[in-house]
Amino acid sequence: MAEATPHHILRQKLPSSEVSQSDEKHVDEGGIKHPNDSDIAALTGSEFEDPNIDKENLGFEDESPYPEVRSAVANTDDPDMPVSTLRAWIIGILWAMVIPGVNQFFFFRFPSVTVTGIVAQLLSFPIGRAAAAWVPRRWTMFGIRLNPGPFTVKEHVLITIMATVGYQSAYATDIIAVQRVYYNQIYNFSYQWFIVMSTQLIGFSIGGVARRFLVAPPSMIWPINLVNFQALSYFSWVTWIRPEDPSKRRSFAT
């Protein structure tokens, strides 16, 4: 069986006879063709000089040119793994309702308590595993099985996204509170609902408008969304002792 053609071959060894004059400046003494600006732009989707790109390792097949992405995101995928299951949506929507409700309840209280998406991420795993083990396979809802099989990592990620994207209390509730307390302006539920939803959705709307520039390009990395658990990185000061030791840098995520 023939090998599949790699998606990107940016660093390839070329015979001296195949090196064109235009490529001469991109080929070193060993005959290795290094990527030029157009190759990098095609791979990263960036139209500007990106200081975060790892140009030395652009030749990795099916790997991100960004080291922080390579260290946190696997380069393999199982397309047959269930993702958008009814089980994931039920658990995710419940978290999307409970966590913002709890945070909003404590928003006007002191000391305030904030429940983040990490709580949902930690608790969703045993909940999903329990649902996979105890919910009968024959049960269905709207023709969709409630238990499609083992709880998968993709379901876990989807649940975490739904629980995290709106866990914070709505800032627009300050408007309603100030009107009620300081100006004695008490309006009906419809007014309160629409003012909160309009301010909450405006951020998503701007994200959609700027998707081409802030979301779609692979060069637009949001490091806080790559890894949720920092763990040993809190002790990154250990690497100050031997900053050139790669094992310590890997262990403490620096």
Side-chain angles (χ1 to χ4, degrees):
M1 184 174 178
E3 294 183 358
T5 305
H7 298 297
H8 299 284
I9 303 178
L10 294 178
R11 298 184 64 187
Q12 49 185 339
K13 189 173 180 62
L14 298 176
S16 57
S17 59
E18 295 185 13
V19 178
S20 64
Q21 187 174 2
S22 60
D23 288 337
E24 240 177 67
K25 58 182 178 181
H26 301 294
V27 180
D28 59 15
E29 296 178 355
I32 301 297
K33 181 181 177 182
H34 295 276
N36 53 30
D37 292 340
S38 60
D39 294 330
I40 295 175
L43 179 61
T44 64
S46 176
E47 299 179 0
F48 53 86
E49 179 67 22
D50 191 350
N52 298 319
I53 194 170
D54 185 8
K55 295 183 180 180
E56 296 298 323
N57 294 316
L58 281 176
F60 288 162
E61 181 182 344
D62 295 330
E63 284 279 11
S64 172
Y66 300 96
E68 57 267 43
V69 177
R70 287 201 304 270
S71 63
V73 181
N75 64 336
T76 57
D77 180 44
D78 182 4
D80 297 325
M81 184 181 294
V83 186
S84 185
T85 62
L86 186 60
R87 172 177 59 198
W89 279 96
I90 292 174
I91 299 174
I93 290 175
L94 288 176
W95 282 124
M97 295 169 59
V98 171
I99 293 181
V102 171
N103 289 334
Q104 189 62 55
F105 177 80
F106 287 105
F107 184 69
F108 295 108
R109 288 161 176 81
F110 184 82
S112 61
V113 177
T114 302
V115 181
T116 65
I118 297 294
V119 175
Q121 184 174 9
L122 292 174
L123 296 180
S124 294
F125 183 74
I127 292 174
R129 292 294 296 268
W134 296 335
V135 175
R137 294 286 187 93
R138 63 179 181 273
W139 286 8
T140 61
M141 182 182 295
F142 308 114
I144 304 174
R145 287 193 302 173
L146 292 178
N147 186 359
F151 187 66
T152 66
V153 64
K154 292 185 179 181
E155 289 179 287
H156 197 189
V157 171
L158 180 60
I159 293 170
T160 304
I161 292 173
M162 287 191 281
T164 304
V165 72
Y167 77 90
Q168 295 177 333
S169 58
Y171 293 125
T173 55
D174 284 336
I175 302 174
I176 300 171
V178 169
Q179 287 180 313
R180 178 186 293 266
V181 175
Y182 292 99
Y183 298 99
N184 198 28
Q185 297 174 350
I186 302 176
Y187 296 101
N188 57 25
F189 174 78
S190 299
Y191 165 80
Q192 299 177 22
W193 169 264
F194 281 115
I195 194 172
V196 171
M197 292 304 296
S198 62
T199 55
Q200 288 292 96
L201 294 178
I202 192 172
F204 290 100
S205 302
I206 294 175
V209 172
R211 183 180 184 276
R212 175 185 175 187
F213 309 102
L214 300 180
V215 180
S219 57
M220 292 291 103
I221 301 172
W222 303 91
I224 194 173
N225 294 327
L226 289 177
V227 180
N228 285 341
F229 296 103
Q230 297 182 9
L232 290 177
S233 63
Y234 283 112
F235 304 95
S236 58
W237 54 268
V238 174
T239 59
W240 299 349
I241 301 173
R242 297 186 63 183
E244 302 301 325
D245 190 342
S247 63
K248 285 186 171 58
R249 293 202 304 268
R250 286 193 299 267
S251 300
F252 295 95
T254 58

